[in-house]
Amino acid sequence: MTPEQISNQFSIDGTVATIKPFGNGLINTTYKVRTSENDSPNYLLQIVNHHIFKNVPELTRNIERVTSHIREKLEAQGAHDIDRRVLTPVKTNNGEGFYKDDGGNYWRMFLFIEGAHSYDQLTNIKQAEAGGRAFGQFQKLVSDLPGEPLYPVIPGFHDTEMRIKNFNERVNENPVGRLEEVQQDVNFLLERSDEYKKIIQMGREGKIPQRIVHQDTKFNNVLLDENDEVLCVIDLDTVMPGYVCYDIGDAIRNGANTGKEDDPNLDNVGINMELFEGFIKGFLQETNGILTREEKETLAFGAKLLTYEQAVRFMDDFLDGDKYYKTDSVKHNLIRARAQIKLLKSMEENFDRMEEIVSRYV
Ligand code: ADP
Ligand code: MG
Ligand code: MG
């Protein structure tokens, strides 16, 4: 079916004028649907990547619960411009949250958020603060979602114990004979395996609560307005139960690196402490009142944890012959793993300062 035919399955105002591919997301396929009338809204149409997300109905329900809760809270606060402050799902004509076509694709629709933009890469402190604030606001808004826990869209996504167990098995198996050339890097990671089980253990012992986390806290999932002020966070597919340090930790891993995630020149890679501070400042401004003392003490550690975990995942896939991540070359996963290891070393060297910065904004 064409995107035009699909659009007509949804309960939209006005008549469809044009449909064009939109944005530069890597996971879902996205279109902008323009309507012809001046007073009817535009829409965003997406095919959900069901190879990554196996249970689209549960994922859709998570997003419905979270977005309608946020909308209610914004309304109760008397906020203005609410259609730009939270994603608004649009139902099908049959009242469903998605439309499954003959080819097995899952389509969904949101109101198009007008006058918004995002950046793939952030370059200054103001943007880092906006990133921290955006995910902090999100955390605050969902912190009192009633009802049962959300559906775990990707079970074990940040189960560090499980990832380390799998990694150990891979190292012992050495399935494609790549271990020898990376033994030093592997040792670096294995030496740290006990340290990075800490968050899972604290959770199990009840020292930190399970919350709702976003889990894809890249800066291009933050929509900003004309003045670069935060509108909202988007891309809610991975919203699920987890610990708060995962979100800010991954935002920092992604956004406060002086190099690229797959930088072949390790001299470029390290933690940018100014951007780190911006993220922490923005995040804690929003969440100071809701996080426990123990949780606040995990925030700087979270940046290291998410970097460690990503290094393990890249190295694991390298040892496995590149089955999971798309690669440009035979060494791509190794280059990525080494860049994460370099970033982790840089965070370890700066960790006292990172903790000191957190304590300043608590
Ligand atoms: P992906 O998982 O592929 O990254 P996203 O949900 O992030 O998919 O959407 C891809 C792009 O589409 C985003 O980067 C953003 O620029 C844009 N986008 C997503 N939702 C909306 C919306 N409701 N209104 C306007 N633009 C949007
Ligand atoms: Mg995205
Ligand atoms: Mg996504």
Side-chain angles (χ1 to χ4, degrees), residues 47-107:
I47 307 176
V48 184
N49 186 329
H50 67 273
H51 302 289
I52 295 188
F53 302 110
K54 311 280 183 209
N55 193 332
V56 179
E58 289 288 0
L59 172 156
T60 304
R61 205 169 95 78
N62 279 354
I63 295 179
E64 275 168 9
R65 286 180 65 194
V66 163
T67 54
S68 61
H69 181 69
I70 293 178
R71 172 172 286 271
E72 276 171 30
K73 278 181 79 168
L74 292 173
E75 279 168 3
Q77 290 166 12
H80 54 90
D81 212 9
I82 291 177
D83 287 350
R84 297 210 298 166
R85 306 277 311 278
V86 61
L87 277 178
T88 310
V90 177
K91 293 226 190 288
T92 68
N93 295 322
N94 298 329
E96 305 284 344
F98 57 84
Y99 179 79
K100 193 173 179 190
D101 71 15
D102 309 338
N105 290 314
Y106 292 86
W107 298 77

Side-chain angles (χ1 to χ4, degrees), residues 111-341:
L111 279 184
F112 190 88
I113 297 178
E114 301 288 349
H117 63 274
S118 61
Y119 298 98
D120 285 333
Q121 212 123 39
L122 56 93
T123 50
N124 61 56
I125 272 205
K126 186 170 178 274
Q127 292 173 333
E129 277 179 36
R133 227 173 13 251
F135 290 107
Q137 266 167 23
F138 177 79
Q139 184 56 247
K140 189 165 68 178
L141 285 163
V142 297
S143 62
D144 55 356
L145 182 87
E148 81 250 37
L150 291 184
Y151 179 81
V153 184
I154 303 176
F157 196 36
H158 286 303
D159 184 341
T160 324
E161 282 182 342
M162 185 199 73
R163 296 233 184 251
I164 291 170
K165 182 168 164 287
N166 295 346
F167 185 55
N168 265 301
E169 285 171 12
R170 194 87 67 206
V171 169
N172 291 332
E173 252 176 64
N174 189 16
V176 294
R178 287 178 170 179
L179 179 61
E180 204 180 335
E181 63 171 310
V182 298
Q183 188 69 59
Q184 274 197 338
D185 303 290
V186 167
N187 290 347
F188 176 92
L189 294 170
L190 291 180
E191 280 159 18
R192 284 157 176 75
S193 60
D194 279 343
E195 181 183 357
Y196 288 107
K197 292 173 184 167
K198 183 174 110 176
I199 296 297
I200 288 281
Q201 286 164 351
M202 286 177 78
R204 196 162 43 224
E205 291 161 10
K207 291 181 179 152
I208 47 174
Q210 282 241 333
R211 292 185 181 275
I212 293 168
V213 282
H214 181 284
Q215 310 253 58
D216 191 6
T217 53
K218 286 193 288 286
F219 194 52
N220 68 8
N221 285 328
V222 176
L223 293 190
L224 304 166
D225 72 7
E226 299 77 359
N227 305 314
D228 267 5
E229 299 294 341
V230 174
L231 286 169
C232 63
V233 300
I234 56 165
D235 208 347
L236 305 178
D237 293 325
T238 48
V239 167
M240 63 181 127
Y243 301 108
V244 71
C245 70
Y246 295 162
D247 272 359
I248 188 67
D250 211 34
I252 291 165
R253 180 191 74 80
N254 251 295
N257 181 351
T258 52
K260 292 187 305 212
E261 191 177 58
D262 60 351
D263 216 310
N265 182 356
L266 294 181
D267 292 339
N268 292 338
V269 177
I271 176 84
N272 178 324
M273 290 300 287
E274 288 196 331
L275 298 184
F276 173 82
E277 180 164 352
F279 274 113
I280 292 291
K281 182 179 172 191
F283 192 74
L284 277 173
Q285 270 174 359
E286 297 295 331
T287 57
N288 231 329
I290 59 160
L291 301 185
T292 66
R293 184 174 55 81
E294 289 77 9
E295 282 180 300
K296 291 174 197 170
E297 287 169 4
T298 65
L299 299 184
F301 182 80
K304 285 201 300 183
L305 170 64
L306 275 279
T307 307
Y308 174 81
E309 192 183 295
Q310 200 56 57
V312 167
R313 293 180 66 188
F314 285 143
M315 189 60 88
D316 188 54
D317 199 36
F318 178 73
L319 292 177
D320 196 26
D322 311 319
K323 296 219 176 87
Y324 185 82
Y325 293 106
K326 279 191 201 134
T327 49
D328 296 344
S329 68
V330 197
K331 298 256 159 132
H332 201 173
N333 271 322
L334 178 58
I335 291 168
R336 287 165 170 153
R338 286 187 168 149
Q340 294 295 300
I341 287 174

